[in-house]
Amino acid sequence: MDIQFNNAERQINLKEIEKSLFNGLQELFREMLVKLLQELDKFLMENRDKKRYELKDLRECNLESMFGIIKFKRRYYYDKEVGDYTFLLDEFLEFKGNRPISPFLEEIAVSWAVKGPSYRDARDRLEEILGHRVLSHETIRQRVLGLAEKIQKEAWCELPTEKKQRQVIFIEVDGLNCHLQREKKSKTEAKIGVVHDGWKKRHPSSKEYNLVDKRYWCSQGDGETFWEEFSRLIYNIYEVNDDTAVVISGDGAKWIKEGCSYFPKAIYVYDRFHLKKWLREALNHQPKHLKKALEASDNYNVGSLLGEVALAEKATENKEDKKKIQKLRHFLLENQDALRDYREILREQGFDTTGMRPMGAAESNMDKFAKRTKKQGYSWSRSGLSAMLFSMIKKFEGTLHNWINVANNNIKPVEIEDLKRSAGRITRKVAVEATGVIQGRLPALYGSEQDKAWVSHFLRRINRADVNIC
């Protein structure tokens, strides 16, 4: 590995040393990767089923990797059993040689694009690390679109083999308004729901909680379309019967409350975040009543809440402010059951509510979606928005990288016994040869002569740095 330093006429600095070492390592790893791929391709040729795979020729493959562009040749075969041509190396390593980028590089690019803030940011970050433009932002966008298409087609394959038995199921739903481009309508509402089993602490002493076994769904359709799809997912995950309580939390939107009709025993809960937001907007000129109304909301005291809102309405002289409070009061009167603590309702129905917490994960989740899709001022095509939302869903569920691998590796690995283990030995052999390291030990330091005077003298010289051992 030949390391070149810039600006040799002046004193070297740590930045230049680190950069030069990184570039040198990239070059070394490119050479290692090419040699490894060629060795594996030769190994597969020698150990293939010669009656099935007929060798045709060598074909070049150019691949953008984390170490830069690699160029190598691999063997092309005719598979007599299938009646088609193939590259055994591609099948064995589960990658598509006709794609311009390596699976690992593509996984990083897609993951960064989904995390945000933009496709261009993912492109620029790769360029900063690798030192050259690796992918265009449009290429990354197309990869996300392809990933989302795969997710939407095959998401049902992730369903458990056995339905879960739960006495209570929790659903939290909200809408996200996003700007559209090149569409008749300038905006669309993405309806997003999360279903989960409850809560658990992040760690034993934590005051923060995570949702247990959460699953998401999203749709840009109307409320009926959303619930038809989301309820189908839920019924495929859970064993829902007449005794299963389903708690649905959301704002006052009509389409959210309609979700109750899809389950035999459903409880609708008005989301505390939206309630407090509405209280602050309506009672901002009545601070005394606002404070007491917020306290009543926290304590699920519906009577006190209604009383404070009524008193604030009576004390307000401004007509516009009074109309806002009247609208709030009428909503509260019509939705009193939705303002109660759902745990109290469940206890009345004979359910054990130990470990249950207030509902409210929907808004924190919506903030994560909004940060990537609308807070940067972005406009989307419908397909682009759907692709980003489904990709983010898999990120939040913890399966994004698995889906990227599924999208990349839509090929059946070649089946040759014991080849994976032998390939591992080839990998280690190439790595040792490339680095030039000889692994071994000095017998005198561990054997019967380790107490001899000359050994002690040798060790003393090592300690004084007179002798360097690599």
Side-chain angles (χ1 to χ4, degrees), residues 183-287:
E183 299 282 349
K184 292 182 178 179
K185 293 184 178 181
S186 61
K187 288 185 178 181
T188 184
E189 182 183 46
K191 298 171 175 62
I192 302 174
V194 56
V195 58
H196 58 92
D197 294 355
W199 301 261
K200 66 178 179 181
K201 288 186 176 183
R202 291 188 176 180
H203 53 80
S205 60
S206 176
K207 294 182 179 180
E208 297 182 337
Y209 290 78
N210 290 328
L211 302 182
V212 178
D213 291 340
K214 58 186 177 182
R215 296 292 295 269
Y216 293 82
W217 190 256
C218 70
S219 171
Q220 294 182 57
D222 57 20
E224 182 179 358
T225 301
F226 170 81
W227 282 112
E228 287 289 341
E229 296 172 344
F230 193 29
S231 63
R232 178 189 166 202
L233 176 68
I234 293 168
Y235 275 93
N236 276 278
I237 296 174
Y238 298 93
E239 188 66 53
V240 181
N241 53 47
D242 293 342
D243 297 321
T244 306
V246 178
V247 183
I248 301 175
S249 175
D251 62 20
K254 183 180 178 181
W255 69 268
I256 294 180
K257 290 189 282 187
E258 288 174 351
C260 293
S261 64
Y262 287 81
F263 307 97
K265 183 182 286 188
I267 300 171
Y268 170 67
V269 178
Y270 187 62
D271 181 68
R272 296 284 121 180
F273 174 86
H274 290 94
L275 174 58
K276 290 182 177 181
K277 182 180 178 181
W278 197 350
L279 287 171
R280 291 188 180 96
E281 290 173 353
L283 307 182
N284 63 332
H285 298 297
Q286 298 288 337

Side-chain angles (χ1 to χ4, degrees), residues 62-79:
N62 297 328
L63 203 63
E64 185 75 67
S65 74
M66 287 296 294
F67 316 125
I69 298 176
I70 60 170
K71 298 181 180 181
F72 63 97
K73 290 186 177 181
R74 69 215 196 281
R75 291 167 176 83
Y76 193 50
Y77 300 89
Y78 178 71
D79 187 344

Side-chain angles (χ1 to χ4, degrees), residues 12-239:
I12 204 71
N13 58 44
L14 181 59
K15 174 186 173 182
E16 291 179 358
I17 293 174
E18 186 177 3
K19 183 178 179 181
S20 297
L21 282 172
F22 182 76
N23 293 337
L25 287 172
Q26 281 184 299
E27 181 181 350
L28 172 64
F29 290 152
R30 275 199 304 271
E31 295 173 359
M32 287 177 60
L33 183 54
V34 169
K35 185 171 183 180
L36 174 59
L37 293 172
Q38 291 174 339
E39 290 284 343
L40 286 174
D41 193 47
K42 179 182 177 183
F43 174 78
L44 291 170
M45 176 197 68
E46 295 171 347
N47 292 273
R48 77 187 191 279
D49 182 350
K50 294 181 176 61
K51 294 181 179 179
R52 175 178 175 179
Y53 296 103
E54 179 184 347
L55 177 60
K56 289 298 182 181
D57 54 28
L58 281 169
R59 300 199 177 183
E60 189 170 79
C61 178
N62 297 328
L63 203 63
E64 185 75 67
S65 74
M66 287 296 294
F67 316 125
I69 298 176
I70 60 170
K71 298 181 180 181
F72 63 97
K73 290 186 177 181
R74 69 215 196 281
R75 291 167 176 83
Y76 193 50
Y77 300 89
Y78 178 71
D79 187 344
K80 298 177 181 178
E81 186 175 302
V82 178
D84 200 2
Y85 293 89
T86 187
F87 295 95
L88 283 182
L89 184 67
D90 295 21
E91 293 187 13
F92 183 68
L93 296 181
E94 300 176 35
F95 81 101
K96 297 177 181 178
N98 60 342
R99 295 174 79 99
I101 59 177
S102 70
F104 182 48
L105 180 59
E106 182 168 353
E107 180 177 331
I108 291 175
V110 170
S111 179
W112 283 356
V114 172
K115 291 177 182 178
S118 68
Y119 295 116
R120 285 182 170 85
D121 180 74
R123 175 202 65 191
D124 294 343
R125 287 166 68 184
L126 283 172
E127 182 176 356
E128 287 177 4
I129 290 176
L130 301 181
H132 66 282
R133 176 64 57 85
V134 182
L135 300 169
S136 69
H137 75 278
E138 178 59 24
T139 300
I140 299 175
R141 191 180 77 89
Q142 290 299 327
R143 293 294 186 268
V144 174
L145 288 172
L147 169 66
E149 183 180 356
K150 193 81 172 177
I151 291 172
Q152 293 178 69
K153 285 182 179 180
E154 301 182 16
W156 301 102
C157 299
E158 281 190 320
L159 297 175
T161 54
E162 294 185 8
K163 294 183 180 181
K164 295 193 287 185
Q165 304 280 343
R166 297 291 184 272
Q167 287 188 320
V168 184
I169 302 170
F170 303 92
I171 301 174
E172 309 199 31
V173 185
D174 206 346
L176 180 68
N177 289 307
C178 298
H179 291 279
L180 295 176
Q181 59 180 352
R182 297 189 294 274
E183 299 282 349
K184 292 182 178 179
K185 293 184 178 181
S186 61
K187 288 185 178 181
T188 184
E189 182 183 46
K191 298 171 175 62
I192 302 174
V194 56
V195 58
H196 58 92
D197 294 355
W199 301 261
K200 66 178 179 181
K201 288 186 176 183
R202 291 188 176 180
H203 53 80
S205 60
S206 176
K207 294 182 179 180
E208 297 182 337
Y209 290 78
N210 290 328
L211 302 182
V212 178
D213 291 340
K214 58 186 177 182
R215 296 292 295 269
Y216 293 82
W217 190 256
C218 70
S219 171
Q220 294 182 57
D222 57 20
E224 182 179 358
T225 301
F226 170 81
W227 282 112
E228 287 289 341
E229 296 172 344
F230 193 29
S231 63
R232 178 189 166 202
L233 176 68
I234 293 168
Y235 275 93
N236 276 278
I237 296 174
Y238 298 93
E239 188 66 53

